[in-house]
């Protein structure tokens, strides 16, 4: 059995959590230590399903350089990549280098008919924090985007009352 097959078996299907990451760290320590290499190989081969499984695992392992690698892939937005998952991971990692890419995605909201990607960008920017992230959120909150997205951006900043949003009307994002 190759190394990836063994790790896939440890991961199982579905959500990758702390338990699976601990199992990989304990039972496949060499794989865990080289997780960025494995991510790079999946990226280079265009195997985005494998890439995202590895990215979700790596988010628990937290290797140095993970954020930068994920930001570079997100900036490219290759066909077949599940951008939403990558946006969430970057928010969980609180990767400040992701702010420009997330802000750009947020400005492109008309391409996101259901707004879920935009909402995940808002939440990730809020998790990352910092001046650049707050500027991107304020731009959305005060802009002409859909009210539910504007409200969510305002909530991340704590300025929803200041901007006059009615929470009962905004509690959903279509």
């Amino acid at each position: 059995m190759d190394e990836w097959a063994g790790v896939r078996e440890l991961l199982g299907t579905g959500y990758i959590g702390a338990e699976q990451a601990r199992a990989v760290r304990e039972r496949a320590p060499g794989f865990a230590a080289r997780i960025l290499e494995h991510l790079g190989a999946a990226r280079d081969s265009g195997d985005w399903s494998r890439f995202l499984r590895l990215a979700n695992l790596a988010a628990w392992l937290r290797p140095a350089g993970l954020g930068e690698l994920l930001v570079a892939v997100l900036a490219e937005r290759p066909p077949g990549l599940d951008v939403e998952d990558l946006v969430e991971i970057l928010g969980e990692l609180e990767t400040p280098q992701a702010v420009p890419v997330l802000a750009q995605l947020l400005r492109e909201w008309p391409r996101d008919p259901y707004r879920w990607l935009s909402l995940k960008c808002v939440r990730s920017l809020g998790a990352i924090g910092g001046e650049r992230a707050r500027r991107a959120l304020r731009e959305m909150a005060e802009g002409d985007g859909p009210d539910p997205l504007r409200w969510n951006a305002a909530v991340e900043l704590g300025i929803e009352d200041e901007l006059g949003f009615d929470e009962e009307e905004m509690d959903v994002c279509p």
Side-chain angles (χ1 to χ4, degrees):
M1 178 178 346
D2 73 20
E3 195 174 31
W4 170 236
V7 169
R8 270 197 328 255
E9 191 173 300
L10 290 172
L11 295 177
T13 59
Y15 177 75
I16 297 172
E19 185 177 319
Q20 291 91 343
R22 188 172 29 261
V24 170
R25 194 179 286 121
E26 291 170 0
R27 297 187 201 155
F31 187 92
R34 294 186 318 279
I35 189 78
L36 292 181
E37 291 174 35
H38 295 289
L39 273 163
R43 176 200 58 212
D44 294 347
S45 70
D47 186 345
W48 300 114
S49 175
R50 180 177 176 179
F51 181 86
L52 284 170
R53 296 289 289 164
L54 290 168
N56 277 290
L57 171 60
W60 287 98
L61 299 174
R62 304 278 174 138
L66 175 61
E68 292 82 357
L69 187 146
L70 299 180
V71 168
V73 171
L74 183 59
E76 293 172 15
R77 285 187 259 168
L81 174 67
D82 184 341
V83 172
E84 287 184 25
D85 278 358
L86 217 47
V87 166
E88 282 184 309
I89 293 168
L90 288 165
E92 290 168 12
L93 294 172
E94 298 179 3
T95 307
Q97 300 90 333
V99 170
V101 176
L102 295 174
Q104 180 62 36
L105 283 170
L106 192 54
R107 284 190 290 276
E108 295 173 359
W109 63 264
R111 295 185 198 169
D112 180 16
Y114 299 106
R115 315 282 190 257
W116 296 117
L117 174 59
S118 297
L119 182 57
K120 289 178 181 188
C121 286
V122 164
R123 294 207 172 124
S124 289
L125 286 165
I128 293 167
E131 187 56 38
R132 292 185 313 169
R134 284 191 295 278
R135 264 196 313 269
L137 288 169
R138 185 168 282 280
E139 181 182 307
M140 173 51 77
E142 294 175 345
D144 62 357
D147 284 347
L149 282 177
R150 293 179 53 240
W151 176 73
N152 276 283
V155 167
E156 289 292 336
L157 293 168
I159 61 170
E160 67 275 18
D161 291 337
E162 173 187 322
L163 295 180
F165 284 105
D166 181 351
E167 181 175 355
E168 300 213 2
E169 290 179 18
M170 296 298 132
D171 205 17
V172 295
C173 187

